């Protein structure tokens, strides 16, 4: 089986399946083999769902033979972050206390993908409890520190660590990740892949672990904006299991290939490490070919502080019984074992103020966004840190100026796209953030950018 | 939230002003009352550090003077043109 399949686009895989040049069973076995062979190098996998995968793949082949076409993902394998419930396999939430947890249902997003004919081949590694307890170093998961596909001595990012590294290393054609604050963009940036964080409510969170009800988002991670768009189209939409998805605007299509008005966050490039500066500068040169780029500033509001208060309060509430029982003491990272107890004492007035800041900030940002198709900034100001040691020492060198706190607080959609490698061969990314429900515009800009740049096609040397 | 948030803000730069210390102590008592004998001394220090930070975050937000009409019920569906 050719290794070209490992890095083929979803459209290419779909064409091969449609033409009968490969079966879904053969494709599934190919990726299962890669997941089992290479996954351990990056601590990317919790469970390979072999039995279920082969059953779904056989069904896909039988349906295709009968002329049934479920769409572009029919017969294509994928991996799911292990905070998404799946029948018949444990859903560990990346954590020792939930190592044997089982649900009697699939998460809504897994159901959507099953209905689209996609084939689940693995539950992918994540930072324990999606990082909500305040981890400070890479060894904060049941499966050990996630490792970047570009250098296993570097951290894969989190909390969707396995989703990021598995896509980058060609172990799955696409994966599902989640983001409360950074958890799609971080592993996308640290693994050189494309990750799309939608508006909250675009994709149902039914059956997904809740960390923060008002800030959790589910989104696709893949090798291109086009692939992310294909997956989003299949997983988006109203589902009764998540009332925030009801009444969502239609997911349209932005056919533009140029003429975009882009706002670059002032100071965001300069605040980054030298390799990220160089890569971002080249990326912006490419963006100038498809539109205008001018500097912007955000309204001067305490975005980080409000986001922090909201997440800590909602997470403490979501995990209140867990904390009461003392189950946190069994977590992997020592600092996680005392996480969230402080949040049990945050007064309601602080939480409400943070929520009101969100309402106020949204109105202010709507005025800024009215003048642009998108805002951009480096997704992260640094390359992936070492897979050992405290984060503070590494990240403090370049604390960065970014869109992440504001974007996640307000629920603005954003796509992270690779911007190349630094002198150490490590990846970085740019994030392209748009107005609420404007995922199609984020994708259109990212796709036009990727039509002009090669970085999203790069293959990590270890897995070439 | 302490009544005198302006004093917390006024010295500005540390979460350990008199009011902040009082609030941190109050919150730590609440935690230790709720979870007696659960934590080592080192763990108590870790929790105290996080309490201190959350007290500081609250003080930062308290400086904001938001109009009465701004509520906590933001919904992205209200930001659509449809």
């Amino acid at each position: 089986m050719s290794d070209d399949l490992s890095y083929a686009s979803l459209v290419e895989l779909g064409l091969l399946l449609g033409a009968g040049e490969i079966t879904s069973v053969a494709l599934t076995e190919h990726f299962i083999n890669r997941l089992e062979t290479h996954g351990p190098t990056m601590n990317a996998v919790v469970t390979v769902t072999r039995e279920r995968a082969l059953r779904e793949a056989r069904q896909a082949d039988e349906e295709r033979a009968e002329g049934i076409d479920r769409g572009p993902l029919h017969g294509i394998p994928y991996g799911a972050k292990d905070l998404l419930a799946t029948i018949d396999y444990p859903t560990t939430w990346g954590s020792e206390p939930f190592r044997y947890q089982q649900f009697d249902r699939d998460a809504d997003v897994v159901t959507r993908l099953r209905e689209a004919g996609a084939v689940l081949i693995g539950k992918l590694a994540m930072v324990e409890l999606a990082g909500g307890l305040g981890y400070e170093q890479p060894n904060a998961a049941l499966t050990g520190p996630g490792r970047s596909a570009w250098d296993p001595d570097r951290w894969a990012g989190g909390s969707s660590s396995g989703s990021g590294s598995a896509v980058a290393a060609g172990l799955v054609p696409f994966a599902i990740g989640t983001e409360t604050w950074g958890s799609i963009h971080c592993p996308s940036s640290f693994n050189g892949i494309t990750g799309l964080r939608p508006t909250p409510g675009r994709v149902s969170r039914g059956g997904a672990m809740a960390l923060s009800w008002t800030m959790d988002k589910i989104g696709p991670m893949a090798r291109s904006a086009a692939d992310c768009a294909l997956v989003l189209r299949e997983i988006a939409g109203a589902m009764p299991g998540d009332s925030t998805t009801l009444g969502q605007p239609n997911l349209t299509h932005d056919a533009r290939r140029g003429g975009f008005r882009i706002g670059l966050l002032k100071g965001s490039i300069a605040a980054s490490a030298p390799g990220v500066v160089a890569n971002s500068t080249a990326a912006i040169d490419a963006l100038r070919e498809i539109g205008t780029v001018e500097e912007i500033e955000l309204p001067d509001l305490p975005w980080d502080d409000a986001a922090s208060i909201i997440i800590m309060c909602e997470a403490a509430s979501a995990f209140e019984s867990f904390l009461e029982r003392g189950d946190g003491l069994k977590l992997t990272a020592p600092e996680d074992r005392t996480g969230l107890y402080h949040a049990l004492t945050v007064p309601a007035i602080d939480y409400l103020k943070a929520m009101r800041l969100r309402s106020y900030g949204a109105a202010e940002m709507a005025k800024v966004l009215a003048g642009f198709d998108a805002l951009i900034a480096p997704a992260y100001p640094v390359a992936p840190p070492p897979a050992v040691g405290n984060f503070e020492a590494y990240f403090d060198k370049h604390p960065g100026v970014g869109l992440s706190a504001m974007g996640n607080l307000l629920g603005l959609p954003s796509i992270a796209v690779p911007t190349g490698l630094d002198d150490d061969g490590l990846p970085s990314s740019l994030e392209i953030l748009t107005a609420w429900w404007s995922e199609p515009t984020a994708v259109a800009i990212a796709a036009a950018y990727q039509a002009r740049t090669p970085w999203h096609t790069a293959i990590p040397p270890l897995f070439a | 939230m302490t009544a005198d948030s302006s004093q917390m803000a006024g010295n500005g730069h540390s979460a350990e002003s008199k009011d902040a210390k009082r609030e941190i102590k109050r919150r730590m008592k609440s935690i230790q009352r709720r979870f007696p004998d659960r934590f080592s001394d080192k763990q108590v220090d870790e929790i105290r550090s996080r309490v201190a930070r959350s007290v500081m975050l609250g003080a930062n937000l308290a400086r904001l003077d938001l109009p009465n009409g701004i509520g906590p019920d933001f919904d992205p569906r209200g930001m659509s043109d449809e």
Side-chain angles (χ1 to χ4, degrees), chain A residues 450-462:
Chain A
Q450 288 181 339
R452 283 161 174 73
T453 57
W455 303 307
H456 62 291
T457 65
I459 295 172
L462 256 184

PDB file of all heavy atoms in Angstrom, chain A residues 450-462:
ATOM      1  N   GLN A 450      -3.371  28.949   0.993  1.00  0.00           N
ATOM      2  CA  GLN A 450      -2.714  27.652   0.790  1.00  0.00           C
ATOM      3  C   GLN A 450      -2.535  27.328  -0.687  1.00  0.00           C
ATOM      4  O   GLN A 450      -1.700  26.496  -1.039  1.00  0.00           O
ATOM      5  CB  GLN A 450      -3.486  26.547   1.534  1.00  0.00           C
ATOM      6  CG  GLN A 450      -3.300  26.664   3.054  1.00  0.00           C
ATOM      7  CD  GLN A 450      -4.004  25.593   3.865  1.00  0.00           C
ATOM      8  OE1 GLN A 450      -4.951  24.958   3.408  1.00  0.00           O
ATOM      9  NE2 GLN A 450      -3.546  25.401   5.097  1.00  0.00           N
ATOM     10  N   ALA A 451      -3.296  27.996  -1.564  1.00  0.00           N
ATOM     11  CA  ALA A 451      -3.082  27.821  -3.006  1.00  0.00           C
ATOM     12  C   ALA A 451      -1.758  28.463  -3.434  1.00  0.00           C
ATOM     13  O   ALA A 451      -1.223  28.156  -4.498  1.00  0.00           O
ATOM     14  CB  ALA A 451      -4.242  28.439  -3.788  1.00  0.00           C
ATOM     15  N   ARG A 452      -1.241  29.360  -2.576  1.00  0.00           N
ATOM     16  CA  ARG A 452      -0.019  30.091  -2.905  1.00  0.00           C
ATOM     17  C   ARG A 452       1.190  29.684  -2.085  1.00  0.00           C
ATOM     18  O   ARG A 452       2.297  30.172  -2.324  1.00  0.00           O
ATOM     19  CB  ARG A 452      -0.225  31.594  -2.641  1.00  0.00           C
ATOM     20  CG  ARG A 452      -1.005  32.281  -3.668  1.00  0.00           C
ATOM     21  CD  ARG A 452      -1.569  33.585  -3.182  1.00  0.00           C
ATOM     22  NE  ARG A 452      -2.198  34.234  -4.323  1.00  0.00           N
ATOM     23  CZ  ARG A 452      -3.342  33.833  -4.855  1.00  0.00           C
ATOM     24  NH1 ARG A 452      -3.995  32.827  -4.314  1.00  0.00           N
ATOM     25  NH2 ARG A 452      -3.847  34.434  -5.913  1.00  0.00           N
ATOM     26  N   THR A 453       0.978  28.828  -1.096  1.00  0.00           N
ATOM     27  CA  THR A 453       2.068  28.483  -0.190  1.00  0.00           C
ATOM     28  C   THR A 453       2.157  26.967  -0.049  1.00  0.00           C
ATOM     29  O   THR A 453       1.150  26.276  -0.149  1.00  0.00           O
ATOM     30  CB  THR A 453       1.835  29.105   1.201  1.00  0.00           C
ATOM     31  OG1 THR A 453       0.567  28.655   1.709  1.00  0.00           O
ATOM     32  CG2 THR A 453       1.825  30.630   1.144  1.00  0.00           C
ATOM     33  N   PRO A 454       3.364  26.446   0.184  1.00  0.00           N
ATOM     34  CA  PRO A 454       3.527  24.983   0.226  1.00  0.00           C
ATOM     35  C   PRO A 454       3.477  24.379   1.623  1.00  0.00           C
ATOM     36  O   PRO A 454       3.484  23.160   1.777  1.00  0.00           O
ATOM     37  CB  PRO A 454       4.940  24.810  -0.338  1.00  0.00           C
ATOM     38  CG  PRO A 454       5.674  26.018   0.149  1.00  0.00           C
ATOM     39  CD  PRO A 454       4.661  27.156   0.224  1.00  0.00           C
ATOM     40  N   TRP A 455       3.410  25.243   2.668  1.00  0.00           N
ATOM     41  CA  TRP A 455       3.750  24.755   3.996  1.00  0.00           C
ATOM     42  C   TRP A 455       2.789  23.708   4.552  1.00  0.00           C
ATOM     43  O   TRP A 455       3.190  22.864   5.334  1.00  0.00           O
ATOM     44  CB  TRP A 455       3.857  25.962   4.957  1.00  0.00           C
ATOM     45  CG  TRP A 455       4.865  26.952   4.442  1.00  0.00           C
ATOM     46  CD1 TRP A 455       6.162  26.670   4.085  1.00  0.00           C
ATOM     47  CD2 TRP A 455       4.673  28.348   4.201  1.00  0.00           C
ATOM     48  NE1 TRP A 455       6.778  27.814   3.637  1.00  0.00           N
ATOM     49  CE2 TRP A 455       5.903  28.856   3.696  1.00  0.00           C
ATOM     50  CE3 TRP A 455       3.606  29.226   4.362  1.00  0.00           C
ATOM     51  CZ2 TRP A 455       6.067  30.200   3.357  1.00  0.00           C
ATOM     52  CZ3 TRP A 455       3.783  30.555   4.038  1.00  0.00           C
ATOM     53  CH2 TRP A 455       4.985  31.036   3.539  1.00  0.00           C
ATOM     54  N   HIS A 456       1.531  23.752   4.113  1.00  0.00           N
ATOM     55  CA  HIS A 456       0.562  22.791   4.639  1.00  0.00           C
ATOM     56  C   HIS A 456       0.776  21.391   4.044  1.00  0.00           C
ATOM     57  O   HIS A 456       0.212  20.415   4.523  1.00  0.00           O
ATOM     58  CB  HIS A 456      -0.870  23.249   4.348  1.00  0.00           C
ATOM     59  CG  HIS A 456      -1.183  23.360   2.886  1.00  0.00           C
ATOM     60  ND1 HIS A 456      -0.622  24.319   2.070  1.00  0.00           N
ATOM     61  CD2 HIS A 456      -1.981  22.610   2.084  1.00  0.00           C
ATOM     62  CE1 HIS A 456      -1.077  24.175   0.842  1.00  0.00           C
ATOM     63  NE2 HIS A 456      -1.900  23.148   0.812  1.00  0.00           N
ATOM     64  N   THR A 457       1.617  21.292   2.999  1.00  0.00           N
ATOM     65  CA  THR A 457       1.858  19.987   2.368  1.00  0.00           C
ATOM     66  C   THR A 457       3.120  19.308   2.907  1.00  0.00           C
ATOM     67  O   THR A 457       3.421  18.179   2.515  1.00  0.00           O
ATOM     68  CB  THR A 457       2.017  20.136   0.843  1.00  0.00           C
ATOM     69  OG1 THR A 457       3.200  20.907   0.575  1.00  0.00           O
ATOM     70  CG2 THR A 457       0.812  20.833   0.234  1.00  0.00           C
ATOM     71  N   ALA A 458       3.847  19.981   3.782  1.00  0.00           N
ATOM     72  CA  ALA A 458       5.112  19.418   4.273  1.00  0.00           C
ATOM     73  C   ALA A 458       4.858  18.145   5.079  1.00  0.00           C
ATOM     74  O   ALA A 458       3.864  18.037   5.799  1.00  0.00           O
ATOM     75  CB  ALA A 458       5.838  20.452   5.139  1.00  0.00           C
ATOM     76  N   ILE A 459       5.789  17.206   4.959  1.00  0.00           N
ATOM     77  CA  ILE A 459       5.665  15.922   5.661  1.00  0.00           C
ATOM     78  C   ILE A 459       6.801  15.809   6.670  1.00  0.00           C
ATOM     79  O   ILE A 459       7.963  16.007   6.313  1.00  0.00           O
ATOM     80  CB  ILE A 459       5.725  14.755   4.657  1.00  0.00           C
ATOM     81  CG1 ILE A 459       4.513  14.815   3.736  1.00  0.00           C
ATOM     82  CG2 ILE A 459       5.794  13.408   5.387  1.00  0.00           C
ATOM     83  CD1 ILE A 459       4.559  13.834   2.582  1.00  0.00           C
ATOM     84  N   PRO A 460       6.517  15.499   7.917  1.00  0.00           N
ATOM     85  CA  PRO A 460       7.585  15.385   8.916  1.00  0.00           C
ATOM     86  C   PRO A 460       8.595  14.324   8.497  1.00  0.00           C
ATOM     87  O   PRO A 460       8.208  13.216   8.101  1.00  0.00           O
ATOM     88  CB  PRO A 460       6.837  14.964  10.183  1.00  0.00           C
ATOM     89  CG  PRO A 460       5.425  15.359   9.955  1.00  0.00           C
ATOM     90  CD  PRO A 460       5.188  15.267   8.499  1.00  0.00           C
ATOM     91  N   PRO A 461       9.893  14.591   8.576  1.00  0.00           N
ATOM     92  CA  PRO A 461      10.910  13.657   8.087  1.00  0.00           C
ATOM     93  C   PRO A 461      10.812  12.260   8.703  1.00  0.00           C
ATOM     94  O   PRO A 461      11.024  11.273   8.002  1.00  0.00           O
ATOM     95  CB  PRO A 461      12.230  14.313   8.509  1.00  0.00           C
ATOM     96  CG  PRO A 461      11.907  15.747   8.711  1.00  0.00           C
ATOM     97  CD  PRO A 461      10.466  15.826   9.078  1.00  0.00           C
ATOM     98  N   LEU A 462      10.429  12.176   9.972  1.00  0.00           N
ATOM     99  CA  LEU A 462      10.337  10.876  10.637  1.00  0.00           C
ATOM    100  C   LEU A 462       9.285   9.971  10.005  1.00  0.00           C
ATOM    101  O   LEU A 462       9.361   8.748  10.116  1.00  0.00           O
ATOM    102  CB  LEU A 462       9.907  11.077  12.094  1.00  0.00           C
ATOM    103  CG  LEU A 462      10.962  10.938  13.184  1.00  0.00           C
ATOM    104  CD1 LEU A 462      10.297  11.080  14.537  1.00  0.00           C
ATOM    105  CD2 LEU A 462      11.712   9.620  13.099  1.00  0.00           C
TER     106      LEU A 462
END
